[in-house]
Structure formats: C-alpha cells, structure tokens
Amino acid sequence: MTSANSQSMKPATVAKKLGIYLPATPQEFQDSTITREEFAELQANPPEWLAELRRNGPHPRPVVAQKLNVSISGLARGGVEEALTTAEITALLQAPPQWLVTERATHAAVRAEAQRVKDEAAKKQAKKDRAQA
C-alpha cells in the first residue's frame, strides 16, 4: 500500500486522526501502512466501513468523551473503559446516570474557568498594549 518515497503512517495514527476505534476497522486496514495520499483519500472519500464506523461506532474514548461532554478522565471515573457505540452513547444521554451528571457539571466548570483565565489574560495583554502605545 505504500510507495518507497512517500511518507507513511501506522494504522493506529491514522485511526486516531480519523477518530475511529482501531480494533473495529477491517483487518486489512490494521495490517497496512497508510501514506499521506491514502489518508487524504480516506478523508475525502471515506469507504463504507469508515462511514459506518463514524456513524454507529464503536467509538474511541476521546470521541465518546466529546459526545458525552465530559473529559476522558471523567469517563474513567464513571467506569467507562471500553469503546461505546452510538446507541450506547444515546442511551446514556437519554437516561444519564449520576456519574455522568456530575462529570458533565465538572467538565463545564473546568471549561468556564479556563475561559475566564483566558479572558483575564487577554484583558491584561490589551491593557499592556495600550500602555505601550
């Protein structure tokens, strides 16, 4: 699948960049090395197996965390250690367990604090810029 002078990536790297769960991919994909050109083609024209994985999963933990609006650490604290399907994620969102409610609140608070700190730094920089002008 690769040419001698083309830069290539391992399947795990490509799966991470595509946001898919590597063990759920076809064996041919798992055993191959993917060139940058092949990666671009996968992004531009995803084969049916890739479109199906993106649609229904199973999804890797970073994608699960994003869809549940929690951190990856929050997933671990909630006991979610494996990949989840879209149906399982939907079920969690429709009837959220207590750990999910708690982790979503924690994640929102952390993001709000990060934004506050960023805004404060921007204000200080703007004030400093005005003083130098």
Side-chain angles (χ1 to χ4, degrees), residues 1 18 20 26 28-29 38-55:
M1 253 190 150
L18 292 173
I20 58 173
E28 175 185 303
F29 177 84
E38 291 167 334
F39 174 68
E41 180 63 24
L42 283 172
Q43 288 182 304
N45 300 308
E48 182 55 37
W49 64 264
L50 178 54
E52 180 68 21
L53 270 179
R54 286 178 166 167
R55 207 173 18 256

Side-chain angles (χ1 to χ4, degrees), residues 66-119:
Q66 178 187 13
K67 287 178 180 277
L68 292 176
N69 203 19
V70 298
S71 65
I72 295 173
S73 299
L75 285 178
R77 286 190 293 270
V80 178
E81 298 293 332
E82 69 285 341
L84 297 179
T85 64
T86 300
E88 291 168 326
I89 293 168
T90 301
L92 281 172
L93 290 171
Q94 289 176 347
Q98 185 56 46
W99 71 264
L100 182 56
V101 173
T102 302
E103 289 301 331
R104 290 179 91 176
T106 300
H107 191 62
V110 168
R111 287 195 352 239
E113 177 62 13
Q115 186 62 49
R116 185 195 67 77
V117 169
K118 183 179 176 181
D119 292 346

